[in-house]
Amino acid sequence: MFFLTMPVSTEALKQDLDGLTDNQLQQVADFIAFLKFRSQLHHREIPDPTQLAALFAEFAEEDRDLAEAGMGDYAVMLQQED
């Protein structure tokens, strides 16, 4: 399929929208929401790798402690099953 790009005016779009069915209007609304979402993805700020490393380091010890506590609970549950 080949589409020609033509200049678009707000008034022309409003007239086109006025002629659409409710179902077609819903499809247009869905497409606009998709375009907004896609635009947000392209404009998202990429975190600095050094900031990420600092965050990971900050929570590493806590994560390790939680994992060890979880393993202790798991071992107790295994003994209870036997």
Side-chain angles (χ1 to χ4, degrees), residues 44-79:
R44 255 194 328 192
E45 191 174 313
I46 298 172
D48 179 23
T50 54
Q51 288 176 327
L52 290 177
L55 283 173
F56 288 137
E58 181 181 340
F59 293 103
E61 186 175 344
E62 182 181 356
D63 288 346
R64 240 184 326 278
D65 292 344
L66 288 172
E68 287 176 13
M71 288 305 295
D73 293 343
Y74 179 67
V76 169
M77 287 174 29
L78 285 177
Q79 288 177 351

